[in-house]
Amino acid sequence: MLRFLTAGESHGPALVVIVEGLPAGLEVTVEAIQEELRRRRLGYGRGPRMRFEVDDVRILGGVRHGRTLGSPVAVEIANTEWERNPDKWQREMSVRAEDGPTQQPLTQPRPGHADLAGMQKYGFVDSRDVLERASARETAARVVAGTLAKLWLATLGVDIVSHVVRIGAVAAPPRPAPTLADLEQIDADEVRCLDPDASAAMVVGIKEAAKDGDSLGGVVEVVAHGVPAGLGSHVHWDRKLDAKLAAALMSIQAVKGVEIGDGWDVAARRGSEAHDPITWDPDARTYPRTSARAGGVEGGMSSGEPVIARVAMKPLASLNRPTLGTVDVLTKEETVSFKERTDVTAVPAMGVVAETMVALVLADEVARKFGGDTVEETRRNRAAYLAALRDSPLG
Ligand code: EPS
């Protein structure tokens, strides 16, 4: 339905993304894409790259005079590192055999990174052949795809926000799910956290980890508002909305856990305290729930309530001061891994990427349920579904 592919390496010339399945007539600007990419660069604790990386965007196809054509949308994001370093990255990452290699191979894989398994799987002795693609730089291309999905969803009254609820040992106190109205405040905060005290403590934690050359993980919450009841399905394992969200969120670099609604916590409760009571709204002729424990998904389908997912990111496996033991794959000597420039934490940015992945899953489900070759047709189909629901015996 809606699908996308990315290509490109972190220090290569560019990332590219192709998004297929968008309807015609969607208003798209380079500025809207750049704004989302700017949000992805946010967050205290990012490395030096984020200060000079500009995410130079060029739309190569699928958009004419500010609107999608219904054809695949192709976007290139140039890598500033490549431009700036003709002697280093342009040679190191050159596609021509005669240009390389220019550096010693990286033979001491970082524990917790894709390095070693990737070297074994693809037959490389230089872990740069793995890490350049495993890098979270790739999420810039996903955010471009996600911006297009968000723009489409916005025409259907769906919007998505994220905020940071934990970095390392510091957790923000529980609060109701944020809405789009909170986004400005979230993005203005150094770590994209709504609680000022927690935010300040998170920054202190990041500074301490940075001093030690260490890294920190954390948790973000993503919330989608305006999702109609009935996206996804209970009828097959691979049509369940929560399963799709979990897979999409788990695919983000360094993510190790995803929960929908109260997730792990409900396992410890009794059934009478684990589900969301159903009420009736006679004006809207809908069935609001009085709590959000299920995170807006019941039986693999959206319930009409906000869809809420939490995403846990491990501390980045690249350490500014490597201390974890590894083995040099050529000499078999025990050592510590090679040093690679890195962020102390990327949790605030991961929230923006998580919004992106939720948007792409929801847009795919919208395409599946409502179809439509034009933005207007999808909007009509959605309105007709909701009207039919209100006029049915259920409404
Ligand atoms: C990353 C390491 C760092 C991050 C990078 C992800 O890259 P570099 O080694 O070039 O400083 O900055 O993130 C991005 C470049 C980005 O755009 O998010 C890694 O190893 O995953």
Side-chain angles (χ1 to χ4, degrees):
M1 297 270 103
L2 185 88
R3 48 195 185 131
F4 74 101
L5 269 184
T6 72
E9 277 68 43
S10 181
H11 301 99
L15 299 168
V16 291
V17 58
I18 295 182
V19 185
E20 207 242 0
L22 289 166
L26 182 66
E27 286 178 28
V28 172
T29 61
V30 168
E31 290 71 26
I33 295 171
Q34 251 151 1
E35 169 57 14
E36 286 294 292
L37 287 169
R38 183 194 66 78
R39 295 183 62 233
R40 197 197 63 96
R41 293 193 301 270
L42 292 175
Y44 190 84
R46 299 299 311 267
R49 173 113 178 240
M50 289 303 94
R51 285 196 289 279
F52 58 73
E53 190 57 74
V54 292
D55 294 327
D56 189 8
V57 169
R58 205 151 69 103
I59 299 179
L60 299 172
V63 178
R64 180 165 181 256
H65 300 161
R67 285 168 184 269
T68 53
L69 298 170
S71 54
V73 176
V75 181
E76 178 193 78
I77 312 147
N79 284 328
T80 315
E81 282 272 63
W82 171 270
E83 296 292 334
R84 285 160 42 108
N85 288 293
D87 296 334
K88 186 177 180 199
W89 295 117
Q90 291 191 21
R91 292 194 57 213
E92 183 64 17
M93 297 303 292
S94 172
V95 295
R96 291 151 36 104
E98 54 272 33
D99 286 344
T102 58
Q103 297 178 358
Q104 287 299 312
L106 301 172
T107 56
Q108 296 152 0
R110 293 162 297 174
H113 216 285
D115 298 346
L116 182 54
M119 291 157 92
Q120 290 174 309
K121 179 174 171 68
Y122 290 96
F124 300 133
V125 289
D126 182 356
S127 81
R128 184 158 303 286
D129 288 325
V130 179
L131 73 87
E132 282 290 336
R133 179 63 186 165
S135 164
R137 173 78 193 136
E138 186 260 351
T139 61
R142 297 195 199 200
V143 166
V144 172
T147 306
L148 300 172
K150 278 184 183 177
L151 288 171
W152 187 23
L153 290 171
T155 69
L156 303 164
V158 177
D159 51 65
I160 301 166
V161 297
S162 71
H163 63 133
V164 170
V165 297
R166 170 183 289 279
I167 291 185
V170 183
R175 48 150 294 137
T179 67
L180 203 56
D182 297 308
L183 197 59
E184 203 175 320
Q185 190 190 335
I186 294 169
D187 284 350
D189 182 75
E190 280 191 299
V191 286
R192 304 194 65 250
C193 175
L194 269 170
D195 185 273
D197 294 337
S199 167
M202 287 171 186
V203 170
V204 170
I206 295 168
K207 282 184 179 155
E208 281 168 3
K211 207 164 67 215
D212 296 338
D214 220 324
S215 61
L216 287 176
V219 179
V220 302
E221 184 175 74
V222 199
V223 186
H225 295 275
V227 180
L231 298 191
S233 176
H234 63 291
V235 303
H236 279 299
W237 66 274
D238 58 354
R239 290 187 56 192
K240 288 179 184 260
L241 181 62
D242 40 4
K244 290 185 167 186
L245 288 169
L249 292 167
M250 199 67 130
S251 78
I252 300 169
Q253 291 82 342
V255 166
K256 288 301 248 185
V258 178
E259 61 178 8
I260 308 293
D262 285 356
W264 290 92
D265 278 356
V266 290
R269 292 185 206 150
R270 287 185 161 196
S272 56
E273 289 164 356
H275 305 290
D276 302 319
I278 300 171
T279 63
W280 171 243
D281 178 344
D283 298 324
R285 286 190 278 160
T286 56
Y287 297 90
R289 313 300 200 266
T290 55
S291 54
R293 293 156 173 163
V297 186
E298 290 168 343
M301 289 166 284
S302 54
S303 65
E305 296 290 305
V307 172
I308 305 173
R310 271 185 288 273
V311 189
M313 185 182 207
K314 68 185 179 184
L316 299 171
S318 306
L319 302 180
N320 278 312
R321 197 176 301 154
T323 49
L324 294 168
T326 188
V327 173
D328 188 301
V329 295
L330 293 183
T331 65
K332 307 295 184 287
E333 261 173 76
E334 289 186 8
T335 176
V336 291
S337 73
F338 61 85
K339 186 172 156 7
E340 183 81 357
R341 183 182 65 189
T342 184
D343 309 315
V344 178
T345 188
V347 175
M350 189 270 283
V352 178
V353 180
E355 291 172 20
T356 277
M357 296 312 292
V358 168
L360 286 159
V361 169
L362 292 178
D364 181 46
E365 288 304 314
V366 158
R368 210 169 291 270
K369 174 120 184 82
F370 303 125
D373 293 312
T374 67
V375 168
E376 204 38 57
E377 192 177 0
T378 310
R379 196 155 37 194
R380 257 194 334 261
N381 293 349
R382 172 186 168 276
Y385 164 70
L386 293 176
L389 208 52
R390 281 193 295 271
D391 294 341
S392 78
L394 293 172

